[in-house]
């Protein structure tokens, strides 16, 4: 293991995501689980257990990074405690619920010299890089995205009626985040309707609008069938579909190119994106800090705006 990546982590919040994805990823990388923050006595995962982030900050070595996987509404206070102590922080996406929270967290990281990363693991995939390359090479005239799950895990924050726990923040954030990464202006996206409105763990969102001059349409949230695709349609009628577009586990991804009505398929073998994210060199995180902070603030601003519309559509 090189010295230019984190050697140890403290995981904050040990739900299913942390147990099945994040902790196995850091261990696969040969990184140390140095501590766990949870109020559940059975959550230690073989590491020292702390009740609060402040306790963990006081007890753990300074070079310990904090990996926050708690519900979104808890992110800000936990991240701010670690950042103000000069500790690097990765926050499970979406990092924050309001634009003001995002701005304060970014400012705290800049003031202390700590790193603040929004945990979009999909950014570390070959699929995501190819998507950005294709968008840069020739921007589409239309984008169609579908990201729906047949169900969300029971007994999690997703049943919370707060908008920050909704499928808008949990699922749609992947789609909007990828578009912002591509340089698209998502301020013209609107929330047209919600199926199963008022049932947080069942809501399906219908979005549309303009990304500058690019038409956009998306369906995200919970549906009867799983779907995970980002489709770019260009002026000449050609199409490029990435499926699955957002996925963290290792395995094949398909890129379907349709030109003059003929479709060809390219297969990409993506590695475990969680392992890749936790192993990114610190020099790279530092070099991109300003850009990432700006994108984090912009995504949070747009989620907050659409969240107000979601509340209007709920009974």
């Amino acid at each position: 293991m090189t010295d230019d990546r984190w050697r140890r982590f403290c995981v904050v919040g040990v739900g299913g995501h942390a147990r099945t994805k994040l902790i196995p990823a850091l261990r696969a990388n040969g990184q140390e689980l140095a501590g766990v923050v949870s109020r559940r006595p059975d959550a230690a995962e073989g590491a020292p257990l702390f009740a609060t982030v402040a306790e963990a900050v006081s007890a753990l070595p300074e070079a310990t990074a904090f990996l926050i996987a708690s519900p979104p509404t808890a992110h800000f206070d936990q991240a701010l405690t670690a950042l103000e102590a000069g500790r690097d922080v990765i926050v499970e996406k979406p990092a924050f619920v309001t634009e003001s929270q995002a701005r304060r967290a970014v400012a705290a990281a800049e003031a202390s010299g700590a790193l603040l990363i929004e945990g979009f693991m999909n950014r570390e995939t070959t699929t995501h890089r190819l998507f950005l390359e294709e968008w840069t090479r020739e921007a589409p005239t239309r984008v169609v995205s579908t990201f729906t799950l047949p169900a969300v895990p029971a007994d999690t924050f997703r049943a919370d009626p707060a908008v920050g726990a909704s499928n808008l923040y949990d699922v749609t954030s992947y789609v909007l985040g990828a578009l912002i990464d591509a340089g698209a202006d998502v301020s013209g996206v609107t929330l047209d309707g919600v199926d199963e409105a008022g049932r947080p763990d069942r809501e399906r969102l219908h979005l549309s609008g303009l990304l500058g001059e690019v038409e956009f349409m998306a369906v995200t949230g919970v549906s009867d069938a799983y779907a995970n695709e980002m489709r770019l349609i260009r002026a000449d009628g050609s199409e490029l579909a990435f499926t699955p577009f957002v996925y963290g586990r290792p395995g094949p991804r398909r890129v379907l190119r349709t030109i003059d009505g003929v479709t060809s398929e390219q297969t990409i073998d993506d590695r475990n994106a969680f392992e890749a994210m936790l192993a990114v060199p610190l020099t790279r995180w530092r070099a991109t800090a300003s850009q990432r902070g700006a994108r984090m603030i912009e995504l949070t601003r747009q989620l907050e705006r659409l969240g107000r519309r979601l509340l209007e559509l709920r009974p």
Side-chain angles (χ1 to χ4, degrees), residues 223-256:
S223 185
D224 294 333
Y226 175 76
N228 186 349
E229 181 181 88
M230 179 75 81
R231 184 177 294 269
L232 308 182
I233 303 160
R234 290 175 167 145
D236 60 3
S238 64
E239 298 186 8
L240 187 64
F242 299 85
T243 178
F245 180 62
V246 177
Y247 208 71
R249 297 188 184 277
R253 317 287 188 257
R254 295 189 303 154
V255 181
L256 305 176

Side-chain angles (χ1 to χ4, degrees), residues 69-85:
S70 54
T73 52
H75 288 176
F76 175 68
D77 289 339
Q78 292 171 336
L80 201 65
T81 297
L83 291 168
E84 289 180 340

Side-chain angles (χ1 to χ4, degrees), residues 41-115:
D42 62 342
E45 293 288 324
L49 181 64
F50 303 96
T52 66
V53 172
E55 289 181 12
V57 165
S58 296
L60 295 174
E62 291 185 4
T64 303
F66 281 72
L67 182 52
I68 298 178
S70 54
T73 52
H75 288 176
F76 175 68
D77 289 339
Q78 292 171 336
L80 201 65
T81 297
L83 291 168
E84 289 180 340
R87 306 304 179 91
D88 294 341
V89 172
I90 300 179
V91 190
E92 178 64 19
K93 62 79 205 164
F96 304 108
V97 175
T98 67
E99 180 185 357
S100 64
Q101 289 179 349
R103 289 188 180 279
R104 285 185 61 190
V106 169
E110 291 173 348
S112 69
L115 290 168

Side-chain angles (χ1 to χ4, degrees), residues 197-214:
R199 296 182 61 189
D201 58 343
R202 292 292 305 168
E203 288 178 332
R204 181 169 57 254
L205 313 182
H206 298 265
L207 303 104
S208 68
L210 291 175
L211 311 170
E213 297 181 352
V214 179

Side-chain angles (χ1 to χ4, degrees), residues 19-56:
R19 288 195 310 271
T20 63
K21 298 181 177 68
L22 299 178
I23 293 174
L26 69 88
R27 284 175 168 158
N29 285 344
Q31 294 160 307
E32 176 189 353
L33 180 62
V36 166
V37 175
S38 177
R39 296 190 183 276
R40 290 174 38 205
D42 62 342
E45 293 288 324
L49 181 64
F50 303 96
T52 66
V53 172
E55 289 181 12

